Structures are given as C-alpha cells and as structure tokens.
Amino acid sequence: MKILYITQYFYPEVGATTNRALANIRHLAKKHQVTVLTEMPNHPQGVIHDGYKGKLFVSEKMESFLIKRFWVCTSKNKFFLNRVFFYLSFAFFGTLYTLLKAGKFDVIFITSPPLFISLIGITAKIFYPQKKMFFEVRDLWPDCAIAMGELHNQLFISLSYWMENSIYRRSEKIITITRYIKDRIIDKGVNGDNIVVIHN
C-alpha cells in the first residue's frame, strides 16, 4: 500500500510531534511505501535550517521512506498573523502537491495540529472522494487555542470550527492519542465507531 503521510512538523525538527510522526512512519514503512509531506525544517526557532534555505521544494530519502519538503512563510516573531501565514503557506503547497499526486497513493494520512493542515485533506476529498483518508488529532483545535487565549478573532474561530467539522466528516477514521480527546470529539456529534485511540 502507498501512503502519503502529511505532517507540518518533522525530523530534524525536535519535539513530541516529530517524535510521534517519526515513530508512526517507521512502523508503517515496514510494510508499506510511505511518502512524507512536510515543511522545510525551521521549528522551533522559526529559521529554516542550513541546507534548506532559499529552496522552494526538496525531495530526499530517509531510511526506507521518501520526504517531500516545501518552503513555508516562517518567522522568529510568533505574532498571530505571522503564524497564520506560516500555517497557510504549508497548507497551500501541501494542497497543490496532494492534488497533483493523490492518484499515486492508496491512503492519505494527516496529523494535526495545526488545524490548517486539514485544508489539504478537505480539498483532496472534494477532488478524490473515493480516496481513503485518516485524520490524527493530537490536540483539540480550535478548542485548545481558544482556551489558552491564542485565538479570539470571531472570524477565525468560525473558520476553524468549519475546518474541524469538515475534516471529521470526510475522514474514514479519526485517530486520537487519548480517550479524553475521543470523548470530546464524540460530544461534537462524530460517531465514536469512527474514532480510534492510539496512545503515544
């Protein structure tokens, strides 16, 4: 089986997100052909790493899987609009790549947050409705961002809830990392039979 694994953050970036993604991909790559779609490494400093600067697209191989990296609009300053452009730039290039290459893959696997990454999956399902898609939820967005005071613009809140609802409805399976997250998604009206908990 050919899998397109989409994650905004990935090795050599550091953090829990990249650790889980790398573990998942290594496991999947034992039996399947995996291609990782991700950003030019820059997290958490907001500076694109040496070797990737000035490039729009990089294709490379790591162990037994392929990596496709795209430029993102990143910045050392983590202001609200900077973060939005950061997320949207990856969603834009990720959507273009997925629409052009989706026919090569049997499954699209998307892990979030950021929630903007769901735009890739939503668009892919519009053009390829029969394509199987799995959506991993590692943190509840936009709920978490609202609770922490990071998101208070009503327009963005409404857009975020639309993205969340849209990606849930279009996914064959939703994967969460805790039972709590599963229960909260069920509270939003999603069928619990479509949600699987896979702990770290």
Side-chain angles (χ1 to χ4, degrees), residues 8 83-94 116 119 156 159 163:
Q8 180 147 3
R83 292 171 69 91
V84 170
F85 285 126
F86 171 58
Y87 297 142
L88 283 178
S89 60
F90 180 69
F92 174 76
F93 286 116
F116 281 102
L119 292 172
F156 278 103
L159 175 62
M163 287 189 291

PDB file of all heavy atoms in Angstrom, residues 8 83-94 116 119 156 159 163:
ATOM      1  N   GLN A   8       3.019  18.844   9.327  1.00  0.00           N
ATOM      2  CA  GLN A   8       3.752  20.088   9.115  1.00  0.00           C
ATOM      3  C   GLN A   8       5.123  20.030   9.775  1.00  0.00           C
ATOM      4  O   GLN A   8       6.105  20.548   9.238  1.00  0.00           O
ATOM      5  CB  GLN A   8       2.971  21.295   9.642  1.00  0.00           C
ATOM      6  CG  GLN A   8       3.728  22.607   9.431  1.00  0.00           C
ATOM      7  CD  GLN A   8       2.841  23.791   9.175  1.00  0.00           C
ATOM      8  OE1 GLN A   8       1.623  23.688   9.205  1.00  0.00           O
ATOM      9  NE2 GLN A   8       3.454  24.939   8.945  1.00  0.00           N
ATOM     10  N   ARG A  83       1.855  33.587  12.337  1.00  0.00           N
ATOM     11  CA  ARG A  83       1.532  32.158  12.494  1.00  0.00           C
ATOM     12  C   ARG A  83       0.496  31.713  11.458  1.00  0.00           C
ATOM     13  O   ARG A  83       0.573  30.607  10.912  1.00  0.00           O
ATOM     14  CB  ARG A  83       1.017  31.891  13.911  1.00  0.00           C
ATOM     15  CG  ARG A  83       2.092  32.057  14.967  1.00  0.00           C
ATOM     16  CD  ARG A  83       1.489  31.995  16.359  1.00  0.00           C
ATOM     17  NE  ARG A  83       1.008  30.672  16.687  1.00  0.00           N
ATOM     18  CZ  ARG A  83       1.723  29.738  17.282  1.00  0.00           C
ATOM     19  NH1 ARG A  83       2.990  29.978  17.592  1.00  0.00           N
ATOM     20  NH2 ARG A  83       1.202  28.570  17.585  1.00  0.00           N
ATOM     21  N   VAL A  84      -0.473  32.592  11.187  1.00  0.00           N
ATOM     22  CA  VAL A  84      -1.488  32.262  10.189  1.00  0.00           C
ATOM     23  C   VAL A  84      -0.845  32.073   8.817  1.00  0.00           C
ATOM     24  O   VAL A  84      -1.131  31.099   8.109  1.00  0.00           O
ATOM     25  CB  VAL A  84      -2.576  33.360  10.134  1.00  0.00           C
ATOM     26  CG1 VAL A  84      -3.492  33.145   8.918  1.00  0.00           C
ATOM     27  CG2 VAL A  84      -3.394  33.352  11.420  1.00  0.00           C
ATOM     28  N   PHE A  85       0.040  33.020   8.421  1.00  0.00           N
ATOM     29  CA  PHE A  85       0.720  32.895   7.128  1.00  0.00           C
ATOM     30  C   PHE A  85       1.610  31.651   7.093  1.00  0.00           C
ATOM     31  O   PHE A  85       1.740  30.995   6.053  1.00  0.00           O
ATOM     32  CB  PHE A  85       1.541  34.145   6.831  1.00  0.00           C
ATOM     33  CG  PHE A  85       0.710  35.324   6.423  1.00  0.00           C
ATOM     34  CD1 PHE A  85       0.819  36.531   7.084  1.00  0.00           C
ATOM     35  CD2 PHE A  85      -0.197  35.223   5.378  1.00  0.00           C
ATOM     36  CE1 PHE A  85       0.043  37.620   6.710  1.00  0.00           C
ATOM     37  CE2 PHE A  85      -0.972  36.306   4.994  1.00  0.00           C
ATOM     38  CZ  PHE A  85      -0.857  37.507   5.661  1.00  0.00           C
ATOM     39  N   PHE A  86       2.218  31.330   8.219  1.00  0.00           N
ATOM     40  CA  PHE A  86       3.052  30.133   8.345  1.00  0.00           C
ATOM     41  C   PHE A  86       2.224  28.877   8.052  1.00  0.00           C
ATOM     42  O   PHE A  86       2.593  28.040   7.217  1.00  0.00           O
ATOM     43  CB  PHE A  86       3.646  30.101   9.748  1.00  0.00           C
ATOM     44  CG  PHE A  86       4.354  28.833  10.126  1.00  0.00           C
ATOM     45  CD1 PHE A  86       5.433  28.365   9.389  1.00  0.00           C
ATOM     46  CD2 PHE A  86       3.965  28.120  11.255  1.00  0.00           C
ATOM     47  CE1 PHE A  86       6.102  27.200   9.752  1.00  0.00           C
ATOM     48  CE2 PHE A  86       4.628  26.967  11.633  1.00  0.00           C
ATOM     49  CZ  PHE A  86       5.689  26.508  10.873  1.00  0.00           C
ATOM     50  N   TYR A  87       1.089  28.761   8.719  1.00  0.00           N
ATOM     51  CA  TYR A  87       0.235  27.591   8.529  1.00  0.00           C
ATOM     52  C   TYR A  87      -0.370  27.553   7.125  1.00  0.00           C
ATOM     53  O   TYR A  87      -0.428  26.491   6.484  1.00  0.00           O
ATOM     54  CB  TYR A  87      -0.896  27.588   9.564  1.00  0.00           C
ATOM     55  CG  TYR A  87      -0.434  27.487  10.988  1.00  0.00           C
ATOM     56  CD1 TYR A  87      -1.068  28.191  12.003  1.00  0.00           C
ATOM     57  CD2 TYR A  87       0.641  26.673  11.335  1.00  0.00           C
ATOM     58  CE1 TYR A  87      -0.652  28.098  13.329  1.00  0.00           C
ATOM     59  CE2 TYR A  87       1.071  26.567  12.656  1.00  0.00           C
ATOM     60  CZ  TYR A  87       0.409  27.291  13.649  1.00  0.00           C
ATOM     61  OH  TYR A  87       0.829  27.191  14.948  1.00  0.00           O
ATOM     62  N   LEU A  88      -0.824  28.706   6.639  1.00  0.00           N
ATOM     63  CA  LEU A  88      -1.469  28.751   5.330  1.00  0.00           C
ATOM     64  C   LEU A  88      -0.493  28.455   4.193  1.00  0.00           C
ATOM     65  O   LEU A  88      -0.870  27.853   3.184  1.00  0.00           O
ATOM     66  CB  LEU A  88      -2.131  30.108   5.098  1.00  0.00           C
ATOM     67  CG  LEU A  88      -3.456  30.334   5.821  1.00  0.00           C
ATOM     68  CD1 LEU A  88      -3.971  31.744   5.543  1.00  0.00           C
ATOM     69  CD2 LEU A  88      -4.501  29.304   5.419  1.00  0.00           C
ATOM     70  N   SER A  89       0.765  28.875   4.349  1.00  0.00           N
ATOM     71  CA  SER A  89       1.743  28.613   3.286  1.00  0.00           C
ATOM     72  C   SER A  89       1.967  27.119   3.129  1.00  0.00           C
ATOM     73  O   SER A  89       2.058  26.607   2.004  1.00  0.00           O
ATOM     74  CB  SER A  89       3.062  29.349   3.560  1.00  0.00           C
ATOM     75  OG  SER A  89       3.654  28.937   4.784  1.00  0.00           O
ATOM     76  N   PHE A  90       2.041  26.395   4.244  1.00  0.00           N
ATOM     77  CA  PHE A  90       2.195  24.941   4.131  1.00  0.00           C
ATOM     78  C   PHE A  90       0.924  24.300   3.579  1.00  0.00           C
ATOM     79  O   PHE A  90       0.985  23.389   2.735  1.00  0.00           O
ATOM     80  CB  PHE A  90       2.553  24.300   5.475  1.00  0.00           C
ATOM     81  CG  PHE A  90       2.709  22.809   5.375  1.00  0.00           C
ATOM     82  CD1 PHE A  90       3.779  22.258   4.690  1.00  0.00           C
ATOM     83  CD2 PHE A  90       1.769  21.956   5.933  1.00  0.00           C
ATOM     84  CE1 PHE A  90       3.916  20.874   4.565  1.00  0.00           C
ATOM     85  CE2 PHE A  90       1.897  20.576   5.817  1.00  0.00           C
ATOM     86  CZ  PHE A  90       2.975  20.041   5.133  1.00  0.00           C
ATOM     87  N   ALA A  91      -0.239  24.779   4.044  1.00  0.00           N
ATOM     88  CA  ALA A  91      -1.499  24.239   3.537  1.00  0.00           C
ATOM     89  C   ALA A  91      -1.616  24.450   2.033  1.00  0.00           C
ATOM     90  O   ALA A  91      -2.095  23.567   1.304  1.00  0.00           O
ATOM     91  CB  ALA A  91      -2.677  24.889   4.262  1.00  0.00           C
ATOM     92  N   PHE A  92      -1.150  25.598   1.535  1.00  0.00           N
ATOM     93  CA  PHE A  92      -1.233  25.908   0.114  1.00  0.00           C
ATOM     94  C   PHE A  92      -0.370  24.953  -0.708  1.00  0.00           C
ATOM     95  O   PHE A  92      -0.852  24.303  -1.640  1.00  0.00           O
ATOM     96  CB  PHE A  92      -0.795  27.352  -0.128  1.00  0.00           C
ATOM     97  CG  PHE A  92      -0.707  27.722  -1.586  1.00  0.00           C
ATOM     98  CD1 PHE A  92      -1.849  27.959  -2.324  1.00  0.00           C
ATOM     99  CD2 PHE A  92       0.528  27.821  -2.209  1.00  0.00           C
ATOM    100  CE1 PHE A  92      -1.768  28.291  -3.675  1.00  0.00           C
ATOM    101  CE2 PHE A  92       0.624  28.156  -3.560  1.00  0.00           C
ATOM    102  CZ  PHE A  92      -0.536  28.387  -4.288  1.00  0.00           C
ATOM    103  N   PHE A  93       0.923  24.860  -0.367  1.00  0.00           N
ATOM    104  CA  PHE A  93       1.813  23.991  -1.131  1.00  0.00           C
ATOM    105  C   PHE A  93       1.458  22.516  -0.943  1.00  0.00           C
ATOM    106  O   PHE A  93       1.567  21.708  -1.868  1.00  0.00           O
ATOM    107  CB  PHE A  93       3.268  24.249  -0.749  1.00  0.00           C
ATOM    108  CG  PHE A  93       3.803  25.541  -1.291  1.00  0.00           C
ATOM    109  CD1 PHE A  93       4.186  26.558  -0.438  1.00  0.00           C
ATOM    110  CD2 PHE A  93       3.919  25.748  -2.659  1.00  0.00           C
ATOM    111  CE1 PHE A  93       4.677  27.763  -0.943  1.00  0.00           C
ATOM    112  CE2 PHE A  93       4.405  26.942  -3.171  1.00  0.00           C
ATOM    113  CZ  PHE A  93       4.784  27.950  -2.308  1.00  0.00           C
ATOM    114  N   GLY A  94       1.028  22.170   0.276  1.00  0.00           N
ATOM    115  CA  GLY A  94       0.621  20.789   0.527  1.00  0.00           C
ATOM    116  C   GLY A  94      -0.599  20.392  -0.290  1.00  0.00           C
ATOM    117  O   GLY A  94      -0.691  19.268  -0.785  1.00  0.00           O
ATOM    118  N   PHE A 116      -4.977  24.056  10.272  1.00  0.00           N
ATOM    119  CA  PHE A 116      -4.978  24.489   8.883  1.00  0.00           C
ATOM    120  C   PHE A 116      -4.561  23.362   7.935  1.00  0.00           C
ATOM    121  O   PHE A 116      -4.897  23.381   6.757  1.00  0.00           O
ATOM    122  CB  PHE A 116      -4.038  25.684   8.688  1.00  0.00           C
ATOM    123  CG  PHE A 116      -4.634  26.989   9.145  1.00  0.00           C
ATOM    124  CD1 PHE A 116      -4.261  27.542  10.351  1.00  0.00           C
ATOM    125  CD2 PHE A 116      -5.564  27.652   8.355  1.00  0.00           C
ATOM    126  CE1 PHE A 116      -4.809  28.740  10.773  1.00  0.00           C
ATOM    127  CE2 PHE A 116      -6.115  28.853   8.768  1.00  0.00           C
ATOM    128  CZ  PHE A 116      -5.740  29.408   9.983  1.00  0.00           C
ATOM    129  N   LEU A 119      -7.061  21.616   5.613  1.00  0.00           N
ATOM    130  CA  LEU A 119      -7.456  22.132   4.303  1.00  0.00           C
ATOM    131  C   LEU A 119      -6.937  21.239   3.178  1.00  0.00           C
ATOM    132  O   LEU A 119      -7.576  21.110   2.126  1.00  0.00           O
ATOM    133  CB  LEU A 119      -6.951  23.562   4.119  1.00  0.00           C
ATOM    134  CG  LEU A 119      -7.596  24.625   5.021  1.00  0.00           C
ATOM    135  CD1 LEU A 119      -6.864  25.953   4.873  1.00  0.00           C
ATOM    136  CD2 LEU A 119      -9.074  24.785   4.688  1.00  0.00           C
ATOM    137  N   PHE A 156     -11.919  33.907  12.594  1.00  0.00           N
ATOM    138  CA  PHE A 156     -11.018  32.752  12.583  1.00  0.00           C
ATOM    139  C   PHE A 156     -11.574  31.600  13.421  1.00  0.00           C
ATOM    140  O   PHE A 156     -11.359  30.438  13.087  1.00  0.00           O
ATOM    141  CB  PHE A 156      -9.633  33.159  13.088  1.00  0.00           C
ATOM    142  CG  PHE A 156      -8.780  33.804  12.030  1.00  0.00           C
ATOM    143  CD1 PHE A 156      -8.600  35.177  12.013  1.00  0.00           C
ATOM    144  CD2 PHE A 156      -8.173  33.051  11.038  1.00  0.00           C
ATOM    145  CE1 PHE A 156      -7.828  35.783  11.028  1.00  0.00           C
ATOM    146  CE2 PHE A 156      -7.405  33.642  10.053  1.00  0.00           C
ATOM    147  CZ  PHE A 156      -7.232  35.016  10.045  1.00  0.00           C
ATOM    148  N   LEU A 159     -14.129  29.965  11.180  1.00  0.00           N
ATOM    149  CA  LEU A 159     -13.431  29.233  10.125  1.00  0.00           C
ATOM    150  C   LEU A 159     -12.803  27.954  10.682  1.00  0.00           C
ATOM    151  O   LEU A 159     -12.855  26.893  10.047  1.00  0.00           O
ATOM    152  CB  LEU A 159     -12.351  30.115   9.502  1.00  0.00           C
ATOM    153  CG  LEU A 159     -11.436  29.460   8.458  1.00  0.00           C
ATOM    154  CD1 LEU A 159     -12.253  28.982   7.260  1.00  0.00           C
ATOM    155  CD2 LEU A 159     -10.346  30.435   8.013  1.00  0.00           C
ATOM    156  N   MET A 163     -13.458  24.068   9.549  1.00  0.00           N
ATOM    157  CA  MET A 163     -12.414  23.132   9.129  1.00  0.00           C
ATOM    158  C   MET A 163     -12.470  21.857   9.945  1.00  0.00           C
ATOM    159  O   MET A 163     -12.369  20.749   9.402  1.00  0.00           O
ATOM    160  CB  MET A 163     -11.029  23.794   9.256  1.00  0.00           C
ATOM    161  CG  MET A 163     -10.732  24.846   8.220  1.00  0.00           C
ATOM    162  SD  MET A 163      -8.998  25.395   8.247  1.00  0.00           S
ATOM    163  CE  MET A 163      -8.951  26.286   9.811  1.00  0.00           C
TER     164      MET A 163
END
